């Protein structure tokens, strides 16, 4: 399909229809996260979305009210897709005694239960080497030579989907530099996959990890994301540099301000 024929109809049934999937697997990844597998009723069906769109999962909070949250699948095949999900448990963080609204429900949901999901239009849309920034407002395709990505914790999933899609496209030479921040080494998701992508596409993709808490064996960056840190790892900006981000709210606020201090135009900064 030609780029000019490619339409994103955010109001189409594709994006607005809710449907049921079945939770078929929930394998632990680390101390607070699982890889969830969701199966369609039809064993041939796929989400079939372009990068970087996500889904909404609907569930219940502690009061029994319906809540929904955004998630990005990192793999799909005929009939199913996989999403890593971090659980915000109650009574873990003193500031959040109730934990998160949706994820404690997802942790307890019985295997083989059905749940409701919906496809969503994200803030960035990638197809064949080009992007549409904020597709709900704007339909102009843009080409970026470089994409800078700053992610925290579970915010890696949309970034990984984008990086993988670009690396898998032999016609796309977009350079990508990822800064991935986590609390500890155990919290890093997709470590092997990100390192493999960097090795396989070394002229195109570079990843840096930073940790809040690390021991003396840690060879990556240390501490919170700072202007000095990003200045030292990111290439010089051009008119066609895009800065994307996804992380916890306070981190997002900081990262947007750091991108601006680095010199990125507001229009070229996108939170997934
Ligand atoms: C585009 C996009 C894609 C996403 N993809 C993924 C994904 O693939 N996988 C994924 O896991 N998440 C993903 N998220 C995050 C997800 O949408 C939810 O925000 C997350 O699962 C938390 O939902 P919740 O209802 O459990 O928590 P909420 O009720 O929304 O509260 C979460 C916030 O409460 C605080 N909090 C609550 N409990 C604790 C605790 N025990 N410890 C520390 N802080 C706590 C934290 O500030 C946390 O950020 C994505 C978000 C976006 C915007």
């Amino acid at each position: 399909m030609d780029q000019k024929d490619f339409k994103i109809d955010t109001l189409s049934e594709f994006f607005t229809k809710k449907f049921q999937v079945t939770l078929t697997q929930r394998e632990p990844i680390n101390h607070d996260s699982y890889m969830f597998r969701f199966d369609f009723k039809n064993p041939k069906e796929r989400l079939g979305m372009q990068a970087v769109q996500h889904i909404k999962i609907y569930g219940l909070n502690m009061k029994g009210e319906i809540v929904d949250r955004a998630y990005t699948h990192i793999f799909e095949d005929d009939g199913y897709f996989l999403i890593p999900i971090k659980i915000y448990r109650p009574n873990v963080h003193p500031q959040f005694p109730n934990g998160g609204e949706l994820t404690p429900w997802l942790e307890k949901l019985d295997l083989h239960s059905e749940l409701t999901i919906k496809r969503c239009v994200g803030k960035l849309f990638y197809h064949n080497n080009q992007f549409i920034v904020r597709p709900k407002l704007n339909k102009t395709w843009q080409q970026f030579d470089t994409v800078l990505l700053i992610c925290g914790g579970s915010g890696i999933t949309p970034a990984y989907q984008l990086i993988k899609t670009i690396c898998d496209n032999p016609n796309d030479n977009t350079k990508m530099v990822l800064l991935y921040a986590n609390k500890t080494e155990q919290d890093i998701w997709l470590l092997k996959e990100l390192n493999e992508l960097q090795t396989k596409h070394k002229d195109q993709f570079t990843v840096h990890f930073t940790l809040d808490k690390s021991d003396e064996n840690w060879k990556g960056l240390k501490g919170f994301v700072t202007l000095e840190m990003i200045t030292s790892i990111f290439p010089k900006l051009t008119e066609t540099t895009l800065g994307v981000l996804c992380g916890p709210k306070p981190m997002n606020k900081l990262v947007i301000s750091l991108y601006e201090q680095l010199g990125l135009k507001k229009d070229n900064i996108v939170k997934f």
Side-chain angles (χ1 to χ4, degrees):
M1 185 173 2
D2 199 297
Q3 200 83 335
K4 65 179 175 346
D5 300 327
F6 199 85
K7 300 267 186 310
I8 313 158
D9 182 359
T10 56
L11 298 176
S12 66
E13 200 179 76
F14 182 79
F15 285 114
T16 53
K17 192 176 144 203
K18 292 180 186 167
F19 54 98
Q20 307 292 120
V21 290
T22 306
L23 169 65
T24 51
Q25 261 177 34
R26 185 175 42 216
E27 297 291 327
I29 309 173
N30 63 22
H31 61 105
D32 64 3
S33 309
Y34 299 86
M35 188 66 77
F36 282 73
R37 172 174 161 155
F38 300 103
D39 281 54
F40 292 100
K41 288 202 171 74
N42 173 350
K44 288 276 166 228
E45 192 162 344
R46 287 181 177 233
L47 286 168
M49 297 187 291
Q50 301 292 319
V52 186
Q53 306 308 290
H54 46 266
I55 63 162
K56 260 190 187 158
I57 296 183
Y58 293 79
L60 299 177
N61 66 12
M62 265 180 26
K63 296 181 205 149
E65 297 157 341
I66 295 175
V67 287
D68 63 77
R69 294 288 184 269
Y71 295 94
T72 318
H73 67 286
I74 57 154
F75 180 81
E76 76 171 321
D77 205 341
D78 287 350
Y80 75 97
F81 56 95
L82 302 178
I83 307 182
I85 299 181
K86 176 182 162 84
I87 311 297
Y88 289 94
R89 296 185 182 117
N91 307 317
V92 172
H93 196 296
Q95 251 177 298
F96 307 102
N98 297 330
E101 292 214 46
L102 181 68
T103 53
W105 179 83
L106 282 172
E107 185 176 30
K108 297 268 162 16
L109 188 66
D110 289 336
L111 285 183
H112 310 296
S113 300
E114 286 196 351
L115 67 173
T116 303
I117 70 161
K118 182 167 91 70
R119 297 178 183 92
C120 288
V121 182
K123 309 247 172 45
L124 194 64
F125 195 97
Y126 170 88
H127 179 69
N128 268 353
N129 210 356
Q130 292 194 39
F131 296 83
I132 290 181
V133 175
R134 299 178 187 85
K136 282 192 177 165
L137 304 173
N138 167 28
K139 304 280 178 273
T140 315
W141 291 100
Q142 280 176 273
Q143 192 139 13
F144 293 99
D145 293 338
T146 307
V147 179
L148 313 175
L149 308 104
I150 304 180
C151 301
S154 54
I156 190 64
T157 53
Y160 175 74
Q161 200 192 75
L162 179 64
I163 294 162
K164 175 117 181 45
T165 308
I166 293 180
C167 285
D168 285 347
N169 179 354
N171 302 318
D172 192 337
N173 299 318
T174 308
K175 301 266 187 290
M176 292 166 287
V177 185
L178 166 68
L179 174 58
Y180 183 19
N182 277 286
K183 286 201 177 81
T184 69
E185 199 169 347
Q186 289 68 46
D187 293 310
I188 301 176
W189 282 4
L190 300 164
L191 177 68
K192 184 169 136 275
E193 290 82 352
L194 289 166
N195 280 331
E196 278 173 7
L197 279 174
Q198 176 172 242
T199 307
K200 202 168 157 204
H201 301 272
K202 58 181 185 309
D203 297 330
Q204 185 170 24
F205 170 57
T206 314
V207 54
H208 300 268
F209 299 94
T210 186
L211 296 181
D212 299 353
K213 289 187 208 134
S214 56
D215 62 23
E216 66 283 4
N217 299 321
W218 174 246
K219 300 215 166 41
L221 300 165
K222 291 179 182 174
F224 290 147
V225 178
T226 61
L227 187 59
E228 293 71 45
M229 188 184 280
I230 62 175
T231 310
S232 71
I233 60 167
F234 285 160
K236 244 181 153 354
L237 300 187
T238 69
E239 280 298 303
T240 55
T241 302
L242 178 71
V244 297
L245 58 134
C246 191
K249 259 191 200 144
M251 180 178 166
N252 289 340
K253 220 172 140 197
L254 169 78
V255 169
I256 290 172
S257 123
L258 292 178
Y259 271 144
E260 286 176 2
Q261 290 172 57
L262 193 68
L264 268 179
K265 286 191 296 191
K266 274 200 167 79
D267 285 352
N268 285 9
I269 301 173
V270 187
K271 185 168 95 52
F272 279 117

